[in-house]
Amino acid sequence: MKKIVIVAFDDFTDIDLFFMWDILGRNHIDWQVKILGNKSSLRSAHGLNIHVQGALSEANSADAVLFSSGKNGVPKAIENADFLSEFKLNPEKQYIGSICAGALILNALNLLPERRATTHPDARNALLASQLEPVGQPLVCHGRVATAGGCLSALYLVGWLIESLYDKEKRRETLLPVLPTGQQSVLESLIEFSIQQGRM
């Protein structure tokens, strides 16, 4: 069974965390998914309190690590030396991804050597200030590291991860339950295109 973790922090963006959590949490056979944090409970950007399921250090032994986002939460996390020092991630052995402003955490951890990433449009200037090239597409992959831009790009980030860990059929099976009725084939084509585009 694979181990997938989602890293969160205070002031995380609700939809980015919960959408990834919900998609991945529907499968209890192929992988285990946990939310990690640097304290026992975290407060979302919209005021929801959640209990985390493990310490940040558990990310170092996971098969895949996904970083959530937060307009205010990400800068605070990056400024917290105790937060960053918990991670000893290995992009040669682990799949590592971020959504929206989470790309700035990947950069702070030196996981974006090609200096290119995507993020939410509101965080574009922060990428530029970090001397990263903002790429105008929903998913950008460099080997085992991927960044996604925009809340609904969680479909592409999770899709990329599952396809990378398993195959396209497992990815389709995983995403199908959350696709709008009557539009599954349209969105399946878009998901496949976005993952292929991200890998180019």
Side-chain angles (χ1 to χ4, degrees):
M1 177 179 281
K2 301 294 186 183
K3 179 181 177 182
I4 301 172
V5 300
I6 305 174
V7 176
F9 32 79
D10 279 327
D11 290 318
F12 66 84
T13 300
D14 299 56
I15 188 173
D16 290 346
L17 176 66
F18 296 136
F19 196 19
M20 293 191 293
W21 165 256
D22 184 270
I23 295 171
L24 291 166
R26 295 167 184 242
N27 185 320
H28 303 283
I29 298 172
D30 298 300
W31 56 77
Q32 175 193 51
V33 59
K34 297 174 72 173
I35 297 174
L36 308 183
N38 59 354
K39 55 185 183 178
S40 60
S41 65
L42 301 171
R43 188 174 178 83
S44 78
H46 295 313
L48 285 175
N49 291 306
I50 66 165
H51 291 287
V52 305
Q53 299 153 315
L56 294 177
S57 58
E58 290 189 34
N60 300 323
S61 61
D63 296 290
V65 182
L66 300 176
F67 286 88
S68 55
S69 69
K71 181 178 180 180
N72 296 316
V74 165
K76 292 177 186 176
I78 292 174
E79 290 167 6
N80 183 349
D82 292 335
F83 175 86
L84 293 178
S85 65
E86 290 287 345
F87 299 106
K88 303 290 187 291
L89 304 181
N90 185 347
E92 297 297 321
K93 296 181 178 180
Q94 297 172 289
Y95 287 96
I96 305 166
S98 67
I99 189 160
C100 296
L104 297 169
I105 299 177
L106 297 193
N107 182 54
L109 293 171
N110 298 312
L111 293 169
L112 298 173
E114 296 193 26
R115 315 304 302 158
R116 299 173 72 250
T118 187
T119 189
H120 189 281
D122 288 349
R124 185 177 186 277
N125 288 337
L127 280 192
L128 288 169
S130 299
Q131 299 183 328
L132 293 171
E133 176 190 347
V135 181
Q137 61 192 51
L139 186 70
V140 174
C141 312
H142 301 294
R144 289 173 172 254
V145 178
T147 56
C151 300
L152 296 185
S153 67
L155 280 172
Y156 310 136
L157 181 62
V158 173
W160 162 81
L161 175 60
I162 301 306
E163 187 172 311
S164 298
L165 286 172
Y166 295 92
D167 52 34
K168 289 185 179 181
E169 187 55 40
K170 181 64 68 178
R171 184 257 297 164
R172 294 189 186 101
E173 173 190 315
T174 301
L175 297 184
L176 182 62
V178 303
L179 301 183
T181 299
Q183 296 182 339
Q184 290 95 336
S185 61
V186 173
L187 283 167
E188 165 58 28
S189 296
L190 185 57
I191 291 165
E192 183 157 356
F193 167 79
S194 298
I195 292 173
Q196 290 176 349
Q197 179 190 51
R199 287 172 167 161
M200 294 175 63

